[in-house]
Amino acid sequence: MDLINQFARLAVNYINTRNDQPVFPGGEAIQRLDEFAAPLQAEPLDPGSVLAMLDRIGSPATVKSAAGRYYGFVTGGSLPAALSAKLLASVWDQNSALSVMSPVAAKLETVAAQWIISAVGLPQDCGYGFVTGDTMANFTALAAARHQLLKQLGWNVEAQGLFGAPEIDVIVGNEVHVSVLKALSMLGFGKDRLIRVPVDKQGSMLPDKIPPITTPTIVCTQAGNVNTGAFDPVKEICTRLHASPCWVHVDAAFGLWAAASPAKKYLAQGMELAHSWATDAHKWLNVPYDCGLVFVRDKEALYKAMTSSAAYLPTDGIREPMHYVPEMSRQARAIPVWAALKSLGTKGLAELIEKNCGQARYLAEHLRAAGFTILNDVVLNQVLVSFGDPELTRQVITRVQQEGVCWCGGTVWQEKTAMRISVSCWATTQEDLDRSLVSIIKHANSVKHSQNE
Ligand SMILES: *Cc1c(COP(=O)(O)O)cnc(C)c1O
């Protein structure tokens, strides 16, 4: 119990001070990590000392991505209810493979998934599973697609494999996320035999550039481009392809949550017409890492692609979590998801999404007013800023990162070097935004000034 009290003290201290620390650890803190690399000693060490060492060396070297001024990648923080639920779930240490291993984990998978299905308007009866993140969610959904399309061609891919199988085509947008390419390559589709469809200036697939589909085809669409936040026109794509032999998948890593907001759901219009959806809970739903979710309209296809059987496994006719995902033993990822949703309610979920979108707009407006170029239409939570030529923009990003008031990454968007700002954290306040703007504008002006000399 002393250990748990010690842990609680350390955790409270970390949470109370993280917003005053540099968002990215300094060089000294990173160097001190080498202390971890000493050879493993022979004698046991008491757990209190192990925890104290982890805190002393580890905590200063963390990225404060769970606090309010981290805008890197699309990261998200952790809602207090989700974080504490995850901690309690760690105390429970449940294996969520089977309902007989953890009735509570199995129940909360169903409850949390159904709430999400309702909140974002997916088909009520679709299959679902909890995985590590959106990469695995894409993988799982596309495995279901592979199963179903090959089955229609008289081929059982789980039994017969891919050697000698009938070919199926895969269509992606030119702005497809690399995780979809990885999932496709792991599934045996390869990365080089994909059909790529051109996109518009925001990165949305141009539906009239999709070639006619005559043979079974997987069409990978995207809801929420990692740079611009743009959505592929999923409704138009699904409507156009309605009579074609295809499976439309939506990579909705963070865009799915727009559908939970009355103000933003127009972006995700028609998403429910697709066959499968992949998303993250650890990004915009703000649950602690890691957690992704897969949804598949054809529950049976998902089950057939993922199931396994053995004499010791129950066949009781109820939903067993492991039959819908690649893993068998796993942590109970649904628990923090349930807690996040329960603490927000449908209204709070919409407000979280709309708040971050408004904050992104605020940053964009002020950076534009300060004389810098916003490269994207800020429709969601993503902002791309150019401060001038590529070298200048890169320098601004480096200086902002070094100062540590906030953290923004870089990217190249349609051949233009940009700072990439993603507002995805529940904890971001107006004060956080204003402090971040002061830092970014100060460095941008000073870099510009020194370039002009
Ligand atoms: C983040 C992201 C992914 C990958 O998700 P992971 O959770 O990192 O596996 C895939 N697609 C999009 C659009 C993303 O934003």
Side-chain angles (χ1 to χ4, degrees), residues 266-443:
Y266 73 94
L267 292 166
Q269 214 185 24
M271 194 168 60
E272 71 283 359
L273 300 172
H275 298 83
S276 57
W277 305 265
T279 195
D280 268 322
H282 57 217
K283 287 179 178 168
W284 220 353
L285 186 59
N286 278 260
V287 309
Y289 278 84
D290 50 33
C291 183
L293 283 118
V294 58
F295 299 95
V296 177
R297 174 188 297 279
D298 183 344
K299 205 174 357 197
E300 186 72 10
L302 175 62
Y303 177 86
K304 286 278 168 56
M306 291 294 140
T307 191
S308 47
S309 62
Y312 72 93
L313 295 171
T315 48
D316 43 22
I318 57 174
R319 180 186 183 276
E320 294 296 354
M322 63 167 270
H323 294 314
Y324 296 88
V325 290
E327 302 95 341
M328 208 162 177
S329 296
R330 333 165 271 146
Q331 59 173 303
R333 292 195 173 83
I335 293 174
V337 173
W338 170 85
L341 293 166
K342 189 74 188 170
S343 75
L344 290 168
T346 53
K347 235 166 132 180
L349 176 59
E351 280 165 12
L352 168 66
I353 300 309
E354 288 163 18
K355 175 182 108 156
N356 284 163
C357 292
Q359 291 176 323
R361 264 197 322 273
Y362 180 84
L363 292 176
E365 279 160 16
H366 282 75
L367 290 167
R368 192 183 284 122
F372 309 112
T373 311
I374 306 302
L375 298 177
N376 65 316
D377 293 346
V378 183
V379 293
L380 202 64
N381 61 332
Q382 304 292 115
V383 184
L384 299 176
V385 202
S386 163
F387 297 97
D389 64 50
E391 181 48 33
L392 205 147
T393 297
R394 276 194 293 269
Q395 274 188 39
V396 176
I397 294 167
T398 304
R399 290 199 191 184
V400 167
Q401 289 179 354
Q402 278 169 353
E403 189 187 29
V405 170
C406 65
W407 201 96
C408 309
T411 190
V412 176
W413 175 248
Q414 298 187 344
E415 290 163 25
K416 291 198 178 97
T417 299
M419 173 186 272
R420 177 163 169 255
I421 302 173
S422 174
V423 192
S424 334
C425 184
W426 72 279
T428 300
T429 62
Q430 183 62 38
E431 189 197 340
D432 287 323
L433 300 178
D434 290 330
R435 284 178 65 186
S436 306
L437 280 170
V438 167
S439 169
I440 296 170
I441 293 171
K442 174 182 73 185
H443 290 296

Side-chain angles (χ1 to χ4, degrees), residues 120-134:
V120 303
L122 295 184
Q124 277 301 326
D125 194 34
C126 63
Y128 52 86
F130 286 76
V131 290
T132 51
D134 189 63

Side-chain angles (χ1 to χ4, degrees), residues 159-182:
Q160 296 169 271
L162 274 180
F163 298 115
E167 288 199 12
I168 52 185
D169 285 331
V170 181
I171 293 177
V172 300
N174 251 336
E175 270 294 320
V176 62
H177 191 272
V178 287
S179 72
V180 173
L181 300 182
K182 186 175 196 172

Side-chain angles (χ1 to χ4, degrees), residues 74 133-136 138 177 179 222 224 226 251 253-254 280 282-283:
V74 185
D134 189 63
T135 303
M136 283 310 291
N138 280 323
H177 191 272
S179 72
Q222 170 166 271
V226 281
D251 174 9
F254 58 102
D280 268 322
H282 57 217
K283 287 179 178 168

